[in-house]
Every structure is written in C-alpha cells, then in structure tokens.
Amino acid sequence: MNSLSLLSFIGFTLWISLTSFGETHDFFSPSKNRPAQKKSSTAETNYFKGRWADGKFEYLDSQNDWIKAKAAYRTSDSGTFLDINGKTVEYETGDVLFKGTDDGWYKARKETPVVSEEEPAVPNPQGTQLSETEKLVIKYTNEERMKRGLPALKVAPNLLNLSRQKSANMARSQNLSHGVSPRPAGGENIAWNQANAREVVRSWMNSDGHRANILSRRYSTIGVGMAVGNGPYWTQMFQ
C-alpha cells in the first residue's frame, strides 16, 4: 500500500470513529427519538431531569435547555409503559411520567429538585377549598386527560358550588337524574353508589357519554361534588 493510500485509509477510519462517537453522546435528545431509558455517562438513573415550574412540567434536553412537556402527571400506582421504541419501562407510585416533543412518554429522574411544584392534576388557580374526595375526583379525571395529551381542567368555584348542590339535592330526593337542579351550562356527569373517587372516575371512563365529557377539548374548567344519601351521589360539571 503506497503512502497516499495509507493516509486515505487512516482518514476514512478516523472519520468513521468520530461519527460513531458523536452518536453515542445524543441519547437524551427527544428530537432524535432516543429512548430515555438508555445508559448515559451523565445520567446514572437513565431518565430525563425534570421540574415543575408554575404548575407546568419541563425537562432538560441534551443541550441543557428546559423544554415544556406536552403532558405530565405524577403516578398514583406502579406499573409499566412502552417508550417510543417499544421498550418496557417500569414506574412506581410517585414517579412523574411526561410526554416529550416527540410524542413519546418518559419517566423523570427522582433526584431532580422540584421547582415551584403544584399538584399538576389539580390546578386550582383561585385556591378554592376542596375536600380530599373532591380533590381526588379531579386528580383522577385530569390524569385520564393528561395520559392522552389533553390539558388538565382547572377548578372553577362556580362549578364546584353547583356540583355540591346537585349531589346534595339528588341525595335528599334519592333521585339520580340530570333533571334534578341545578343544571350546568356545559357538560355534566352524575353517578350513584360508587364507593370512592377512583371507582366513580373508572365507572365514568367505562361509559361512552361520560368519557366523552371527561376527554372533551371544549372544556377547560371543572367542579365536583359528593353527598351521601342512600349511597354516595357524585356530580361533575364542565365548562
């Protein structure tokens, strides 16, 4: 091999090496559709750093820029999901899952500092007082929306009061009916005899009409109410 051919071979080999090296340092770029669970020398836990800022979730990309997630929520149980490459990812109660700009779902790193955190599934801009049950109904409802990339519904004091009144009136008359006053200007879900917040949201999600209200893009606010009569009476109102 003459000297010119040898230099060409060395140059080609060096170019291949540098190209491969550059690829291995871009694991965390969602625009490249990389799985967030891939090993990286800069992230021992394999997941994106994230933070809550003003009620919105942001994650740190490979360029150290904070990017707003399309959707995010804190898990209430453990389970698995498939990332954008079809790999199974495990999560535990309290983990934050978020949807990146590539429409893939990822898990945030647990040790990431929390900044201005607010319960993402219960946005309550006016600081309206909620019972724990009301809060859970809103939380589970919004988690169903956010799993599908829809924005969380905000608590509206007027809808909260109407929903409480509706449930109380249905319990007093022992009549589960949309005809019982008050009537909302927007959508309404009602139910009877479900034992808790998770169960009633699950029952609504299993019904076409009720699920359509929960997942409607027309609505941006929500109110809920529960009253006990001959069983719990539940109300959701949307606008």
Side-chain angles (χ1 to χ4, degrees):
M1 180 180 292
N2 59 38
S3 58
L4 182 59
S5 297
L6 179 61
L7 286 175
S8 298
F9 176 79
I10 292 173
F12 179 77
T13 303
L14 180 60
W15 178 78
I16 291 293
S17 300
L18 288 174
T19 302
S20 300
F21 179 81
E23 277 294 303
T24 61
H25 284 69
D26 198 22
F27 289 143
F28 281 74
S29 172
S31 63
K32 300 283 188 181
N33 293 341
R34 303 293 189 192
Q37 292 71 33
K38 217 162 189 178
K39 285 288 186 182
S40 166
S41 59
T42 60
E44 295 180 1
T45 52
N46 314 330
Y47 309 123
F48 285 98
K49 288 184 178 180
R51 68 182 184 186
W52 296 104
D54 298 324
K56 304 291 185 182
F57 187 79
E58 302 174 336
Y59 62 95
L60 199 63
D61 69 3
S62 59
Q63 307 302 315
N64 286 326
D65 292 324
W66 287 105
I67 307 297
K68 280 185 170 40
K70 288 188 172 182
Y73 71 102
R74 190 177 297 280
T75 60
S76 56
D77 54 11
S78 60
T80 63
F81 68 94
L82 296 180
D83 70 12
I84 198 166
N85 286 341
K87 296 181 181 295
T88 300
V89 182
E90 296 182 355
Y91 61 86
E92 301 173 356
T93 300
D95 283 341
V96 174
L97 306 185
F98 67 92
K99 189 175 185 179
T101 57
D102 59 353
D103 289 331
W105 281 93
Y106 301 98
K107 183 168 75 170
R109 288 171 60 178
K110 284 187 175 180
E111 73 275 19
T112 300
V114 172
V115 180
S116 302
E117 180 166 5
E118 159 186 317
E119 172 57 73
V122 191
N124 190 3
Q126 299 187 46
T128 307
Q129 189 68 35
L130 299 169
S131 72
E132 187 62 26
T133 297
E134 291 167 346
K135 188 174 182 179
L136 287 174
V137 172
I138 295 169
K139 170 183 169 67
Y140 297 144
T141 297
N142 276 334
E143 284 178 354
E144 294 295 339
R145 289 176 61 87
M146 292 189 290
K147 286 176 187 177
R148 296 159 174 82
L150 299 169
L153 300 168
K154 298 181 176 67
V155 177
N158 64 315
L159 295 181
L160 186 68
N161 291 333
L162 290 175
S163 297
R164 289 169 173 171
Q165 292 172 30
K166 175 88 168 201
S167 289
N169 289 342
M170 288 192 299
R172 189 177 301 112
S173 63
Q174 297 188 10
N175 181 19
L176 179 71
S177 170
H178 289 286
V180 174
S181 64
R183 299 290 301 277
E188 177 182 83
N189 286 346
I190 58 176
W192 172 73
N193 212 29
Q194 285 76 13
N196 53 50
R198 184 176 291 282
E199 187 175 319
V200 73
V201 173
R202 184 182 295 120
S203 72
W204 282 327
M205 287 299 295
N206 287 333
S207 165
D208 290 344
H210 297 95
R211 183 173 61 252
N213 278 335
I214 288 175
L215 302 181
S216 174
R217 294 181 179 274
R218 292 181 299 158
Y219 303 133
S220 60
T221 56
I222 187 174
V224 300
M226 188 275 285
V228 177
N230 58 331
Y233 285 83
W234 304 87
T235 302
Q236 284 183 315
M237 292 186 181
F238 309 90
Q239 279 185 347

